Structures are given as C-alpha cells and as structure tokens.
Amino acid sequence: MKHVAVIGAGTMGNGIAHTFAQNGFKVQLIDISETALKKGLETISKNLDRMVTKNTISEHTKSETLTNINTFTSIPEGVKNANLVVEAATENISLKLDIFKQLDKACDKDTILATNTSSISITQIAAATTRPDKVIGMHFMNPVPIMQLVEIIRGYNTSDAVTQAIMDVSITLGKTPVEVNDYPGFVANRILMPMINESIETLYNGVAGVKEIDTVMKLGMAHPMGPLQLADFIGLDVCLSILNVMYEGFKNPKYAPCPLLVNMVRAGKLGIKSGEGFYDYTANRKAENVSKQFSR
C-alpha cells in the first residue's frame, strides 16, 4: 500500500495527507477548490517548519514530505493508482454518499475506501458502493500529525482482511489503532460530545462562566483543555452535527444539542475557524464573549 488518495484539503484532510506523506506514502490530495488545495499545502508546510524548529524532523524529511504530495481537483484523476482512499470531507451524509458513489466508479476494484467520519454510519456509507466489504472508518484525531489515536470502525460488511490492513497501515503511520463497532459516535464522540454538550448546558443554565467551567475540568479532572475551548477547537458546527447524528441514531434525549449551541451555530460563532466561539480569537486573546449574548 504505497499510493494513498485523500479527499478534502481542510483541517483533517491536510493533516491526514501530511501524516501519510511524512511516512513515505505517495499522496494524491483532492479538493474541488484550488484555493483550498493551496491553503492545505501552506498549512502542511507551516506545520513541517514547526517540526523542523523543534528538531522533530530534518529539513530533508520536510522536503521529501512535500515532494510526496500531489494535488488534484478531480476525483477520477486524483484516485488513479490509489491503493487506499481516505475521505475527509465535511460531516454531511449526503455529501459523503455522493463522494463514495464517485469513488466506487473511479477506483480499482481492490482499492480500500475509508472515511474519516466522526459519527456517520460506516454501514450506510458502504451501502452506496458495490464493495461494502472494502469500506471502513478511519477516524483520525486533530491535529492528525500529533495525535496518536486512530479509531478503526468496521461496517456491517467490512472484511477481516480490510480491517487488518487498515490496522497495519495505522501502525506504519506511528499511530495506535483501536477497533470499534459501527454505532453513532463510535467511542470517542459517544463519550466526548455528551460531555461537551453538558458543559454548554451548564453555561446556558448560568451555573458558571466559560473560564470557570474550563478551569474546573482542567484543574479538577486533569484535562489538557477545557470542554468549551475544545468545542471551539473542533468547531461548534461539527459538534452540533455529531450530536444531531447521535440523537437521530439513538432517539435518546440525552444527546439532544443544547439550545445555546444551536443558536451559536446559527449566528456563525463556530469557534477558532470563524474567529469567535466561546472565546474570542480575533485579537489572539481568549475572552468570554458570546455566552452572555445567547444565554437565557
């Protein structure tokens, strides 16, 4: 498995492309937007520069990593010769199903199709193809080059051989793969998102402020980042999408998104990527901001 195609040049996609390329894989990075591809490559280069500065990698490794990445704006062209395709598009079921239909037609019959989805059913995605045995979840954590965990999610029809191949390639990347079954949210987000949602409810109900909630969780529970800051880092729209998938999948009110989260997403307060979420990032500061605007 030497040639890998990555669909999507955003935060997760460029991180996945970076990780494969740094470990000697030839990477075909695909996005419909030339601007997104350029931005993705710039991000990879900056992250590599940071690693060189910290003496984590050499200048030679940086150069080789960038050389290993080629960009494409067409799926059929971009997936040629790929042994593995990793989809890292927006967390939208209609979009993912459409992409996997295209991949099924464009890829060689032996190509493994993986999705980086953080909550959507692998079985449902696989059903959009004629190769459900070769469709699997490969859920990387952000930032991909640094975080060690990869959740490997088997769909209902995913074969043992494909599961083992993806476990092996994850280890080759220096990651620790953990196999889980196909239920909404898998393991990571089934546990994480209710905690984030309850933290937002705690703010919404006026129990404490943003900084206070995050401080309690950092100092009291030894979390490296508070749940509200983490939500900003993930993206509040992504958190909302995952909670909606889990709520629909389980029909359990404990997964229902907090109204404050819904209102913030409607207002475009998405966290770091929009410059403002539970904290204000517009002037490189972390100041409580939107909580008072959208609380009861």
Side-chain angles (χ1 to χ4, degrees):
M1 197 178 291
K2 293 295 183 183
H3 293 84
V4 177
V6 178
I7 310 291
T11 300
M12 295 305 294
N14 71 60
I16 293 167
H18 171 166
T19 301
F20 273 102
Q22 189 179 321
N23 285 278
F25 291 82
K26 298 297 182 183
V27 177
Q28 294 132 233
L29 181 59
I30 306 165
D31 200 295
I32 58 172
S33 166
E34 287 281 7
T35 301
L37 288 168
K38 181 180 178 182
K39 184 178 179 182
L41 286 176
E42 288 173 352
T43 299
I44 293 170
S45 184
K46 287 177 183 177
N47 288 337
L48 288 166
D49 283 337
R50 192 175 295 114
M51 296 171 82
V52 170
T53 301
K54 293 181 178 180
N55 293 317
T56 305
I57 62 171
S58 66
E59 282 284 356
H60 177 69
T61 299
K62 174 194 169 182
S63 178
E64 279 196 335
T65 299
L66 292 173
T67 300
N68 282 338
I69 303 173
N70 289 302
T71 61
F72 300 86
T73 55
S74 162
I75 285 179
E77 184 181 4
V79 299
K80 284 180 181 177
N81 303 317
N83 309 117
L84 168 66
V85 179
V86 183
E87 171 271 319
T90 304
E91 194 75 347
N92 177 290
I93 182 61
S94 297
L95 175 62
K96 289 186 185 294
L97 292 178
D98 180 62
I99 288 172
F100 271 78
K101 287 176 184 176
Q102 293 183 58
L103 291 175
D104 191 41
K105 293 178 181 177
C107 292
D108 183 83
K109 62 182 179 63
D110 293 323
T111 301
I112 297 173
L113 307 181
T115 174
N116 184 58
T117 182
S118 53
S119 60
I120 297 170
S121 167
I122 307 304
T123 303
Q124 184 177 4
I125 292 172
T129 75
T130 59
R131 63 181 87 193
D133 59 313
K134 294 183 177 65
V135 177
I136 194 166
M138 200 176 187
H139 181 209
F140 290 87
M141 305 294 126
N142 186 28
V144 181
I146 296 171
M147 298 295 281
Q148 190 174 7
L149 175 68
V150 183
E151 271 190 308
I152 307 300
I153 307 103
R154 295 183 66 136
Y156 188 83
N157 292 301
T158 307
S159 72
D160 291 340
V162 164
T163 302
Q164 189 59 55
I166 297 303
M167 296 284 281
D168 291 343
V169 78
S170 299
I171 292 170
T172 300
L173 296 175
K175 305 299 185 185
T176 299
V178 177
E179 183 182 335
V180 305
N181 290 319
D182 187 20
Y183 292 94
F186 315 131
V187 171
N189 283 318
R190 184 167 179 172
I191 295 170
L192 175 63
M193 285 302 152
M195 184 192 74
I196 287 177
N197 199 43
E198 192 61 33
S199 301
I200 300 171
E201 284 279 0
T202 302
L203 175 65
Y204 182 57
N205 292 327
V207 178
V210 173
K211 290 181 181 177
E212 289 75 14
I213 292 168
D214 277 354
T215 299
V216 167
M217 296 305 290
K218 285 190 287 185
L219 300 186
M221 284 66 184
H223 290 195
M225 185 183 294
L228 299 176
Q229 185 183 0
L230 179 57
D232 276 355
F233 185 74
I234 294 169
L236 302 192
D237 53 335
V238 176
C239 293
L240 178 59
S241 176
I242 294 169
L243 284 164
N244 281 331
V245 167
M246 292 169 66
Y247 182 58
E248 287 298 315
F250 291 115
K251 306 298 183 186
N252 189 323
K254 75 177 181 179
Y255 299 114
C258 175
L260 173 58
L261 175 61
V262 175
N263 274 344
M264 289 176 69
V265 172
R266 286 173 177 166
K269 312 297 184 182
L270 309 180
I272 290 176
K273 62 184 169 185
S274 70
E276 191 175 351
F278 292 106
Y279 294 90
D280 184 352
Y281 303 91
T282 54
N284 293 319
R285 67 184 186 276
K286 294 175 183 176
E288 286 184 46
N289 194 316
V290 298
S291 57
K292 292 181 180 178
Q293 294 181 41
F294 297 102
S295 294
R296 292 178 182 174

